[in-house]
Structure formats: C-alpha cells, structure tokens
Coordinates of all heavy atoms in Angstrom, one line a residue:
M1 N -25.3 -26.5 -21.6 CA -24.1 -25.9 -22.0 C -23.8 -24.6 -21.3 O -22.8 -24.3 -20.8 CB -24.0 -25.8 -23.6 CG -22.8 -25.2 -24.1 SD -21.4 -26.2 -23.8 CE -20.2 -25.4 -24.7
L2 N -24.8 -23.7 -21.4 CA -24.8 -22.4 -20.7 C -24.6 -22.5 -19.3 O -23.8 -21.7 -18.7 CB -26.1 -21.6 -21.2 CG -26.1 -20.1 -20.7 CD1 -24.9 -19.4 -21.3 CD2 -27.4 -19.4 -21.2
K3 N -25.2 -23.5 -18.6 CA -25.1 -23.7 -17.2 C -23.6 -24.0 -16.9 O -23.1 -23.6 -15.9 CB -26.0 -24.8 -16.7 CG -26.1 -25.0 -15.3 CD -27.1 -26.0 -14.8 CE -27.1 -26.2 -13.3 NZ -28.1 -27.1 -12.9
R4 N -23.1 -24.9 -17.7 CA -21.7 -25.2 -17.4 C -20.7 -24.0 -17.5 O -19.7 -23.9 -16.8 CB -21.1 -26.3 -18.4 CG -21.7 -27.7 -18.1 CD -21.1 -28.7 -19.0 NE -21.6 -30.1 -18.6 CZ -21.3 -31.1 -19.2 NH1 -20.4 -31.1 -20.2 NH2 -21.8 -32.3 -18.8
I5 N -20.9 -23.2 -18.5 CA -20.1 -22.0 -18.7 C -20.2 -21.1 -17.4 O -19.3 -20.6 -16.9 CB -20.4 -21.3 -20.0 CG1 -20.0 -22.1 -21.2 CG2 -19.8 -19.9 -20.0 CD1 -20.5 -21.6 -22.5
F6 N -21.5 -20.9 -17.0 CA -21.8 -20.1 -15.9 C -21.1 -20.7 -14.6 O -20.5 -19.9 -13.8 CB -23.3 -20.0 -15.6 CG -23.6 -19.1 -14.5 CD1 -23.5 -17.9 -14.4 CD2 -24.0 -19.8 -13.3 CE1 -23.8 -17.0 -13.3 CE2 -24.4 -19.1 -12.1 CZ -24.2 -17.8 -12.1
M7 N -21.1 -21.9 -14.4 CA -20.5 -22.6 -13.3 C -19.0 -22.4 -13.3 O -18.3 -22.2 -12.3 CB -20.9 -24.0 -13.2 CG -22.4 -24.3 -12.8 SD -22.9 -23.6 -11.3 CE -22.2 -24.8 -10.2
A8 N -18.4 -22.6 -14.5 CA -17.0 -22.4 -14.6 C -16.6 -21.0 -14.3 O -15.6 -20.7 -13.6 CB -16.6 -22.8 -16.0
L9 N -17.3 -20.0 -14.9 CA -17.0 -18.6 -14.6 C -17.1 -18.3 -13.1 O -16.4 -17.6 -12.6 CB -17.8 -17.7 -15.4 CG -17.5 -17.7 -17.0 CD1 -18.5 -16.8 -17.7 CD2 -16.1 -17.2 -17.2
S10 N -18.1 -18.8 -12.5 CA -18.4 -18.6 -11.1 C -17.3 -19.2 -10.2 O -16.8 -18.6 -9.3 CB -19.7 -19.2 -10.6 OG -20.8 -18.5 -11.3
A11 N -16.9 -20.4 -10.6 CA -15.8 -21.1 -9.8 C -14.5 -20.2 -10.0 O -13.7 -20.1 -9.0 CB -15.6 -22.5 -10.3
G12 N -14.2 -19.8 -11.2 CA -13.1 -18.9 -11.4 C -13.1 -17.7 -10.6 O -12.1 -17.3 -10.1
A13 N -14.2 -17.1 -10.6 CA -14.4 -15.8 -9.9 C -14.1 -16.1 -8.4 O -13.5 -15.2 -7.6 CB -15.7 -15.1 -10.1
L14 N -14.7 -17.2 -7.8 CA -14.5 -17.5 -6.4 C -13.1 -17.7 -6.1 O -12.5 -17.2 -5.1 CB -15.3 -18.7 -6.1 CG -15.2 -19.2 -4.6 CD1 -15.8 -18.1 -3.7 CD2 -16.0 -20.5 -4.5
I15 N -12.4 -18.5 -6.9 CA -10.9 -18.8 -6.7 C -10.1 -17.5 -6.7 O -9.3 -17.3 -5.9 CB -10.5 -19.8 -7.8 CG1 -11.0 -21.2 -7.4 CG2 -8.9 -19.9 -7.8 CD1 -10.8 -22.2 -8.5
F16 N -10.4 -16.6 -7.7 CA -9.7 -15.3 -7.9 C -10.0 -14.5 -6.6 O -9.0 -13.8 -6.1 CB -10.2 -14.7 -9.2 CG -9.6 -13.3 -9.3 CD1 -8.2 -13.2 -9.8 CD2 -10.2 -12.1 -9.1 CE1 -7.6 -12.0 -10.0 CE2 -9.6 -10.9 -9.3 CZ -8.3 -10.9 -9.7
S17 N -11.2 -14.4 -6.1 CA -11.5 -13.6 -5.0 C -10.9 -14.1 -3.7 O -10.6 -13.3 -2.7 CB -13.0 -13.4 -4.8 OG -13.5 -14.7 -4.4
L18 N -10.6 -15.3 -3.6 CA -10.0 -15.9 -2.4 C -8.5 -16.0 -2.5 O -7.8 -16.4 -1.5 CB -10.5 -17.3 -2.2 CG -12.0 -17.4 -1.9 CD1 -12.4 -18.9 -1.7 CD2 -12.4 -16.7 -0.6
A19 N -7.9 -15.6 -3.6 CA -6.5 -15.7 -3.8 C -5.6 -14.6 -3.1 O -4.4 -14.7 -3.2 CB -6.1 -15.8 -5.3
G20 N -6.2 -13.6 -2.5 CA -5.5 -12.6 -1.8 C -4.1 -12.2 -2.1 O -3.4 -13.1 -2.5
C21 N -3.7 -11.0 -1.9 CA -2.3 -10.6 -2.2 C -1.6 -10.4 -0.9 O -2.3 -10.0 0.1 CB -2.3 -9.3 -3.0 SG -3.0 -9.5 -4.6
A22 N -0.4 -10.7 -0.8 CA 0.4 -10.4 0.4 C 0.6 -8.9 0.6 O 0.7 -8.2 -0.4 CB 1.8 -11.0 0.3
S23 N 0.5 -8.4 1.8 CA 0.6 -7.0 2.1 C 1.1 -6.8 3.5 O 1.0 -7.6 4.4 CB -0.9 -6.4 2.0 OG -0.8 -5.0 2.5
Y24 N 1.8 -5.7 3.6 CA 2.4 -5.3 4.9 C 1.4 -4.7 5.9 O 1.7 -4.5 7.0 CB 3.7 -4.4 4.7 CG 3.3 -3.1 4.1 CD1 2.8 -2.0 4.8 CD2 3.5 -3.0 2.7 CE1 2.5 -0.9 4.1 CE2 3.2 -1.8 2.1 CZ 2.8 -0.7 2.8 OH 2.4 0.4 2.2
M25 N 0.2 -4.5 5.4 CA -0.9 -4.0 6.3 C -2.2 -4.6 5.9 O -2.4 -4.9 4.7 CB -0.9 -2.5 6.4 CG -1.5 -1.8 5.2 SD -1.5 0.0 5.2 CE -1.6 0.4 6.9
P26 N -3.1 -4.7 6.8 CA -4.5 -5.2 6.5 C -5.2 -4.3 5.5 O -5.0 -3.0 5.6 CB -5.2 -5.2 7.8 CG -4.2 -5.0 8.9 CD -3.0 -4.4 8.2
L27 N -5.9 -4.9 4.5 CA -6.5 -4.1 3.5 C -8.1 -4.4 3.6 O -8.4 -5.5 3.6 CB -6.0 -4.4 2.2 CG -4.5 -4.1 1.9 CD1 -4.1 -4.5 0.5 CD2 -4.3 -2.6 2.0
G28 N -8.9 -3.4 3.6 CA -10.3 -3.5 3.6 C -10.8 -3.6 2.2 O -10.2 -3.0 1.3
V29 N -11.9 -4.3 2.0 CA -12.4 -4.5 0.6 C -13.0 -3.2 0.1 O -12.8 -2.8 -1.0 CB -13.5 -5.6 0.6 CG1 -14.2 -5.7 -0.8 CG2 -12.8 -6.9 0.9
I30 N -13.7 -2.5 1.0 CA -14.3 -1.3 0.6 C -13.5 0.0 0.9 O -13.4 0.9 0.0 CB -15.7 -1.0 1.4 CG1 -16.6 -2.2 1.0 CG2 -16.4 0.3 1.1 CD1 -17.9 -2.3 1.8
Y31 N -12.8 0.1 2.0 CA -12.0 1.3 2.3 C -10.9 0.9 3.3 O -11.1 0.0 4.2 CB -12.9 2.3 3.0 CG -12.2 3.6 3.4 CD1 -11.9 4.5 2.4 CD2 -11.8 3.8 4.7 CE1 -11.3 5.7 2.8 CE2 -11.2 5.0 5.0 CZ -10.9 5.9 4.0 OH -10.2 7.1 4.4
T32 N -9.8 1.4 3.0 CA -8.6 1.2 3.8 C -7.9 2.5 4.1 O -7.8 3.3 3.2 CB -7.5 0.3 3.2 OG1 -8.1 -0.9 2.8 CG2 -6.3 0.2 4.0
E33 N -7.7 2.8 5.4 CA -6.8 3.9 5.8 C -6.1 3.6 7.0 O -6.7 3.2 8.0 CB -7.7 5.2 6.0 CG -6.8 6.4 6.3 CD -7.5 7.7 6.3 OE1 -8.8 7.7 6.3 OE2 -7.0 8.8 6.3
G34 N -4.8 3.5 7.0 CA -4.1 3.0 8.1 C -2.6 3.4 8.0 O -2.1 3.9 7.0
K35 N -1.9 3.1 9.1 CA -0.5 3.4 9.3 C 0.2 2.3 10.0 O -0.3 1.8 11.0 CB -0.4 4.7 10.1 CG 1.1 5.1 10.3 CD 1.1 6.4 11.2 CE 2.4 6.8 11.5 NZ 2.5 8.0 12.3
T36 N 1.3 1.8 9.4 CA 2.1 0.8 10.2 C 3.5 1.2 10.0 O 3.9 2.1 9.2 CB 2.0 -0.7 9.5 OG1 2.5 -0.6 8.2 CG2 0.6 -1.2 9.5
G37 N 4.4 0.6 10.7 CA 5.8 1.0 10.6 C 6.8 0.2 11.5 O 6.3 -0.7 12.2
I38 N 8.0 0.6 11.3 CA 9.0 0.0 12.2 C 9.8 1.2 12.8 O 9.9 2.2 12.2 CB 10.0 -0.9 11.3 CG1 10.7 -0.1 10.2 CG2 9.2 -2.1 10.8 CD1 11.6 -1.0 9.4
D39 N 10.3 0.9 14.0 CA 11.1 1.9 14.7 C 12.6 1.6 14.4 O 13.1 0.6 14.9 CB 10.8 1.9 16.2 CG 11.5 3.0 16.9 OD1 12.2 3.8 16.3 OD2 11.3 3.1 18.1
A40 N 13.3 2.4 13.7 CA 14.7 2.1 13.4 C 15.6 3.1 14.2 O 16.7 3.3 13.8 CB 14.9 2.4 11.8
N41 N 15.1 3.5 15.3 CA 15.8 4.5 16.1 C 17.1 3.9 16.8 O 17.0 3.0 17.5 CB 14.9 5.0 17.3 CG 15.4 6.1 18.1 OD1 16.7 6.4 18.0 ND2 14.6 6.8 18.8
N42 N 18.1 4.5 16.3 CA 19.5 4.1 16.8 C 20.1 5.3 17.6 O 21.2 5.7 17.4 CB 20.4 3.8 15.7 CG 20.0 2.5 14.9 OD1 19.5 1.6 15.5 ND2 19.9 2.6 13.6
G43 N 19.3 5.9 18.5 CA 19.7 7.0 19.2 C 19.6 8.3 18.4 O 20.1 9.3 18.8
V44 N 18.8 8.2 17.3 CA 18.7 9.4 16.4 C 17.3 10.0 16.8 O 16.3 9.3 16.9 CB 18.7 8.9 15.0 CG1 18.4 10.1 14.0 CG2 20.0 8.2 14.6
S45 N 17.3 11.3 16.9 CA 16.0 12.0 17.0 C 15.4 12.3 15.7 O 16.0 12.2 14.7 CB 16.3 13.3 17.8 OG 17.0 14.2 16.9
G46 N 14.1 12.5 15.7 CA 13.4 12.7 14.5 C 12.9 14.1 14.2 O 11.8 14.4 14.2
S47 N 13.8 15.1 14.0 CA 13.4 16.5 13.8 C 13.0 16.8 12.4 O 12.4 17.8 12.2 CB 14.6 17.3 14.2 OG 15.7 17.1 13.4
K48 N 13.3 15.9 11.4 CA 12.9 16.1 10.0 C 12.0 15.0 9.6 O 12.1 13.9 10.1 CB 14.1 16.2 9.1 CG 15.1 17.4 9.4 CD 16.3 17.3 8.4 CE 17.2 18.4 8.6 NZ 18.4 18.2 7.7
T49 N 11.1 15.3 8.6 CA 10.3 14.3 8.0 C 10.3 14.3 6.5 O 10.3 15.4 5.9 CB 8.8 14.5 8.5 OG1 8.7 14.5 9.9 CG2 7.8 13.4 7.9
G50 N 10.4 13.2 6.0 CA 10.4 13.1 4.4 C 9.4 12.0 4.1 O 9.1 11.0 4.8
Q51 N 8.7 12.2 3.0 CA 7.6 11.3 2.5 C 7.8 11.0 1.1 O 8.2 11.8 0.3 CB 6.3 11.9 2.8 CG 5.1 11.1 2.3 CD 3.8 11.7 2.8 OE1 3.6 11.8 4.0 NE2 2.9 12.0 1.8
A52 N 7.6 9.7 0.7 CA 7.6 9.3 -0.7 C 6.4 8.4 -1.0 O 6.1 7.6 -0.2 CB 8.9 8.6 -1.0
C53 N 5.6 8.7 -2.1 CA 4.3 8.0 -2.3 C 4.3 7.4 -3.6 O 4.9 7.8 -4.6 CB 3.2 8.9 -2.1 SG 3.1 9.6 -0.5
M54 N 3.4 6.4 -3.7 CA 3.0 5.9 -5.0 C 1.5 5.7 -5.1 O 0.8 5.7 -4.0 CB 3.7 4.6 -5.3 CG 3.4 3.4 -4.4 SD 4.3 1.9 -4.7 CE 4.0 1.6 -6.5
T55 N 0.9 5.7 -6.2 CA -0.6 5.6 -6.4 C -1.0 4.4 -7.2 O -0.2 3.8 -8.0 CB -1.2 6.8 -7.1 OG1 -0.6 7.0 -8.4 CG2 -0.9 8.0 -6.3
S56 N -2.1 3.9 -6.9 CA -2.7 2.7 -7.7 C -4.1 3.1 -8.2 O -4.9 3.8 -7.5 CB -2.8 1.5 -6.6 OG -3.5 0.5 -7.2
I57 N -4.3 2.8 -9.5 CA -5.6 3.1 -10.1 C -6.2 1.8 -10.5 O -5.6 1.1 -11.3 CB -5.4 4.1 -11.3 CG1 -4.8 5.4 -10.7 CG2 -6.7 4.3 -11.9 CD1 -4.4 6.3 -11.8
L58 N -7.4 1.6 -10.0 CA -8.2 0.4 -10.4 C -7.6 -1.0 -10.0 O -8.0 -2.0 -10.5 CB -8.6 0.4 -11.9 CG -9.5 1.5 -12.3 CD1 -9.7 1.4 -13.9 CD2 -10.8 1.5 -11.7
G59 N -6.6 -0.8 -9.2 CA -5.8 -2.1 -8.8 C -5.1 -2.7 -10.1 O -4.6 -3.8 -10.0
L60 N -5.1 -1.9 -11.1 CA -4.4 -2.4 -12.3 C -3.1 -1.8 -12.6 O -2.2 -2.4 -13.2 CB -5.4 -2.2 -13.5 CG -6.7 -2.9 -13.4 CD1 -7.6 -2.5 -14.6 CD2 -6.5 -4.4 -13.5
V61 N -3.0 -0.5 -12.3 CA -1.8 0.3 -12.6 C -1.3 1.0 -11.3 O -2.1 1.6 -10.6 CB -2.1 1.4 -13.6 CG1 -0.9 2.3 -13.9 CG2 -2.6 0.8 -14.9
A62 N -0.1 0.8 -11.0 CA 0.5 1.4 -9.8 C 1.8 2.1 -10.3 O 2.7 1.5 -11.0 CB 0.9 0.5 -8.7
T63 N 2.0 3.4 -9.9 CA 3.1 4.2 -10.3 C 3.6 5.0 -9.1 O 3.0 5.3 -8.2 CB 2.9 5.1 -11.5 OG1 1.9 6.0 -11.1 CG2 2.4 4.4 -12.7
G64 N 4.9 5.3 -9.2 CA 5.5 6.2 -8.2 C 6.7 5.5 -7.5 O 7.1 4.4 -7.8
D65 N 7.3 6.2 -6.6 CA 8.5 5.7 -5.8 C 8.2 6.0 -4.4 O 8.3 7.1 -3.9 CB 9.7 6.5 -6.4 CG 11.0 6.0 -5.6 OD1 10.9 5.2 -4.7 OD2 12.1 6.4 -6.0
A66 N 7.9 4.9 -3.6 CA 7.7 5.1 -2.2 C 8.9 4.4 -1.4 O 8.7 3.9 -0.3 CB 6.4 4.3 -1.8
G67 N 10.0 4.6 -1.9 CA 11.2 4.0 -1.3 C 11.7 4.8 -0.2 O 11.5 6.1 -0.1
V68 N 12.4 4.2 0.8 CA 13.0 4.8 1.9 C 14.0 5.9 1.5 O 14.0 7.0 2.0 CB 13.6 3.9 2.9 CG1 14.4 4.5 4.0 CG2 12.6 2.9 3.5
D69 N 14.8 5.6 0.5 CA 15.9 6.5 0.0 C 15.2 7.8 -0.5 O 15.8 8.9 -0.3 CB 16.8 5.9 -1.1 CG 17.6 4.8 -0.5 OD1 17.9 4.8 0.7 OD2 18.1 3.9 -1.3
T70 N 14.1 7.6 -1.3 CA 13.4 8.8 -1.8 C 12.8 9.6 -0.7 O 12.9 10.9 -0.7 CB 12.3 8.3 -2.8 OG1 12.9 7.5 -3.9 CG2 11.5 9.5 -3.4
A71 N 12.2 9.0 0.3 CA 11.6 9.7 1.4 C 12.7 10.4 2.2 O 12.6 11.6 2.6 CB 10.9 8.7 2.4
M72 N 13.9 9.8 2.4 CA 15.0 10.5 3.0 C 15.5 11.7 2.2 O 15.7 12.8 2.8 CB 16.2 9.5 3.2 CG 16.0 8.5 4.3 SD 17.3 7.2 4.3 CE 18.7 8.2 4.8
A73 N 15.6 11.5 0.9 CA 16.0 12.7 0.1 C 15.0 13.8 0.1 O 15.4 15.0 0.2 CB 16.2 12.2 -1.4
N74 N 13.7 13.5 0.1 CA 12.6 14.4 0.2 C 12.7 15.2 1.4 O 12.2 16.4 1.5 CB 11.3 13.9 -0.1 CG 11.1 13.4 -1.5 OD1 11.9 13.7 -2.4 ND2 10.1 12.5 -1.8
G75 N 13.1 14.7 2.6 CA 13.1 15.3 3.8 C 14.5 15.9 4.2 O 14.7 16.4 5.3
G76 N 15.5 15.6 3.4 CA 16.9 16.1 3.7 C 17.5 15.3 4.9 O 18.1 15.9 5.8
I77 N 17.1 14.0 5.0 CA 17.5 13.2 6.1 C 18.7 12.4 5.8 O 18.8 11.7 4.8 CB 16.3 12.3 6.6 CG1 15.1 13.1 6.9 CG2 16.7 11.3 7.6 CD1 13.9 12.4 7.2
K78 N 19.6 12.3 6.7 CA 20.9 11.5 6.6 C 20.8 10.3 7.5 O 21.3 9.3 7.2 CB 22.1 12.3 6.9 CG 22.3 13.6 6.0 CD 23.1 13.3 4.8 CE 23.4 14.5 4.1 NZ 23.2 14.5 2.7
N79 N 20.3 10.5 8.8 CA 20.2 9.4 9.8 C 18.7 9.2 10.1 O 18.1 10.0 10.5 CB 21.0 9.9 11.1 CG 22.4 10.1 10.7 OD1 23.1 9.2 10.2 ND2 22.9 11.3 11.1
V80 N 18.3 7.9 9.9 CA 16.9 7.6 10.1 C 16.6 7.3 11.5 O 17.3 6.5 12.2 CB 16.5 6.3 9.2 CG1 15.2 5.9 9.5 CG2 16.7 6.7 7.7
A81 N 15.5 7.8 12.0 CA 15.0 7.5 13.3 C 13.8 6.5 13.2 O 13.8 5.5 13.9 CB 14.5 8.8 14.1
T82 N 12.8 6.8 12.4 CA 11.7 5.9 12.2 C 11.3 5.8 10.7 O 11.5 6.7 10.0 CB 10.4 6.4 13.0 OG1 10.0 7.6 12.5 CG2 10.7 6.5 14.5
I83 N 10.7 4.7 10.4 CA 10.1 4.4 9.1 C 8.7 4.0 9.3 O 8.4 3.0 10.0 CB 10.8 3.4 8.3 CG1 12.3 3.8 8.2 CG2 10.2 3.2 7.0 CD1 13.2 2.7 7.6
N84 N 7.7 4.7 8.8 CA 6.3 4.3 8.8 C 5.7 4.2 7.4 O 6.2 4.9 6.5 CB 5.5 5.4 9.7 CG 6.0 5.4 11.1 OD1 5.8 4.3 11.7 ND2 6.4 6.5 11.6
Y85 N 4.7 3.4 7.3 CA 4.0 3.3 6.1 C 2.5 3.7 6.2 O 1.9 3.4 7.2 CB 4.1 1.8 5.6 CG 5.5 1.4 5.4 CD1 6.0 0.5 6.4 CD2 6.3 1.6 4.3 CE1 7.4 0.1 6.3 CE2 7.5 1.2 4.2 CZ 8.1 0.4 5.1 OH 9.4 0.0 5.0
T86 N 2.0 4.4 5.3 CA 0.6 4.8 5.3 C -0.1 4.2 4.0 O 0.5 4.2 3.0 CB 0.3 6.3 5.4 OG1 0.9 6.9 4.3 CG2 1.0 6.8 6.6
A87 N -1.4 3.9 4.1 CA -2.1 3.5 2.9 C -3.5 4.0 3.0 O -4.1 4.0 4.1 CB -2.1 1.9 2.9
K88 N -4.0 4.3 1.9 CA -5.4 4.8 1.7 C -5.9 4.2 0.4 O -5.3 4.4 -0.6 CB -5.5 6.3 1.8 CG -7.0 6.7 1.8 CD -7.0 8.3 2.1 CE -8.4 8.7 2.3 NZ -8.5 10.2 2.6
N89 N -7.0 3.4 0.5 CA -7.5 2.9 -0.7 C -9.0 2.9 -0.6 O -9.6 2.5 0.4 CB -7.0 1.5 -0.9 CG -7.3 0.9 -2.2 OD1 -8.4 0.9 -2.7 ND2 -6.3 0.4 -2.9
I90 N -9.7 3.3 -1.8 CA -11.1 3.4 -1.8 C -11.6 2.5 -2.9 O -11.4 2.7 -4.1 CB -11.6 4.8 -2.1 CG1 -11.1 5.8 -1.0 CG2 -13.1 4.9 -2.2 CD1 -11.2 7.2 -1.3
L91 N -12.3 1.4 -2.5 CA -13.0 0.5 -3.4 C -12.0 -0.2 -4.3 O -12.4 -0.7 -5.4 CB -14.1 1.0 -4.1 CG -15.3 1.5 -3.2 CD1 -16.3 2.2 -4.1 CD2 -16.0 0.3 -2.6
G92 N -10.7 -0.1 -4.1 CA -9.7 -0.6 -5.1 C -9.6 0.3 -6.3 O -8.9 0.0 -7.3
I93 N -10.4 1.4 -6.4 CA -10.4 2.3 -7.5 C -9.2 3.2 -7.4 O -8.5 3.4 -8.5 CB -11.7 3.1 -7.6 CG1 -12.9 2.2 -7.8 CG2 -11.7 4.2 -8.6 CD1 -14.2 2.8 -7.6
Y94 N -8.9 3.8 -6.3 CA -7.8 4.7 -6.2 C -7.2 4.5 -4.8 O -7.8 4.4 -3.8 CB -8.3 6.2 -6.3 CG -7.1 7.2 -6.1 CD1 -6.3 7.5 -7.2 CD2 -6.9 7.8 -5.0 CE1 -5.3 8.3 -7.1 CE2 -5.9 8.7 -4.9 CZ -5.0 8.9 -6.0 OH -4.0 9.8 -5.8
G95 N -5.8 4.4 -4.8 CA -5.1 4.2 -3.6 C -3.8 5.0 -3.6 O -3.2 5.2 -4.6
T96 N -3.4 5.4 -2.4 CA -2.1 5.9 -2.2 C -1.4 5.2 -1.1 O -1.9 4.8 -0.1 CB -2.2 7.5 -1.7 OG1 -2.9 7.5 -0.5 CG2 -2.8 8.3 -2.8
Y97 N -0.1 4.9 -1.4 CA 0.8 4.2 -0.4 C 2.0 5.0 -0.2 O 2.7 5.4 -1.3 CB 1.1 2.8 -1.0 CG -0.2 2.1 -1.4 CD1 -0.8 2.2 -2.6 CD2 -0.9 1.3 -0.4 CE1 -1.9 1.6 -3.0 CE2 -2.0 0.7 -0.7 CZ -2.6 0.8 -2.0 OH -3.8 0.2 -2.3
C98 N 2.3 5.3 1.0 CA 3.5 6.3 1.3 C 4.4 5.7 2.4 O 4.0 4.9 3.2 CB 2.9 7.6 1.8 SG 1.9 8.5 0.6
T99 N 5.7 6.0 2.2 CA 6.7 5.7 3.2 C 7.1 7.1 3.9 O 7.3 8.1 3.1 CB 8.0 5.2 2.5 OG1 7.6 3.9 1.9 CG2 9.0 4.9 3.6
V100 N 6.9 7.1 5.2 CA 7.3 8.4 5.9 C 8.5 8.1 6.8 O 8.5 7.2 7.7 CB 6.1 8.8 6.8 CG1 6.4 10.1 7.5 CG2 4.8 9.0 5.9
V101 N 9.5 8.9 6.7 CA 10.7 8.7 7.4 C 11.0 9.9 8.3 O 10.8 11.1 7.8 CB 12.0 8.5 6.4 CG1 13.3 8.4 7.1 CG2 11.7 7.3 5.6
T102 N 11.4 9.7 9.5 CA 11.8 10.8 10.4 C 13.3 10.6 10.7 O 13.8 9.5 10.7 CB 11.1 10.9 11.7 OG1 11.2 9.7 12.4 CG2 9.6 11.1 11.4
G103 N 14.0 11.7 11.0 CA 15.4 11.6 11.3 C 16.1 13.0 11.3 O 15.5 14.0 11.3
N104 N 17.3 13.0 11.1 CA 18.2 14.2 11.0 C 18.8 14.2 9.7 O 19.3 13.3 9.1 CB 19.3 14.2 12.1 CG 18.7 14.2 13.5 OD1 17.8 14.8 13.7 ND2 19.4 13.6 14.4

C-alpha cells in the first residue's frame, strides 16, 4: 500500500515538473537573467526610457504592473521606439519581470 502511494506521488511530481509554463523568454531552473524584446521603431528616436516591473515570490504570488502603458507613463513617453522585456529569477524563489520602453 505504501509503495503504491509513493509511486502515485512520484508520477504526479514527474507530470507536474514536465508540464512547463508558456513564457516569452527561456527560463532556467536555477537562475534566469535575460532580455528580449521587439523593435517598434516607426521612425521614432529613443531619447527617453520608462520601466514598469512586477515581482514573483516562490512562484506562487506575483504582483505589480509591467504593462507598456505604465512604462510609457513612468518615462514620460508619448511615441514608442522600442519595447524590451527583462527577467531575473533565482531558484523560483524571487523574480523580477520588467517592461522597458524607449521613445519620445
């Protein structure tokens, strides 16, 4: 009986670990630090920068506003030149995810 419970829990853990989440950037199991983005340059120069971030704790709770509109407001930007995303995560314990916008 105990062996069956152990096998069921092990199978569940294996399925859970292989179920991965969709993400816009590769994530490392132990450590992630990276930058990705899209170039939205429509003839606009990027003289100003605005950033908006959110944090994740234990992969259970995530709070904040990392939206493009918030990043634009934080940088006083009206016309977007570029949009980039940064992520930093340590062991899934603590992570920051930011949207960085440049423009005028």
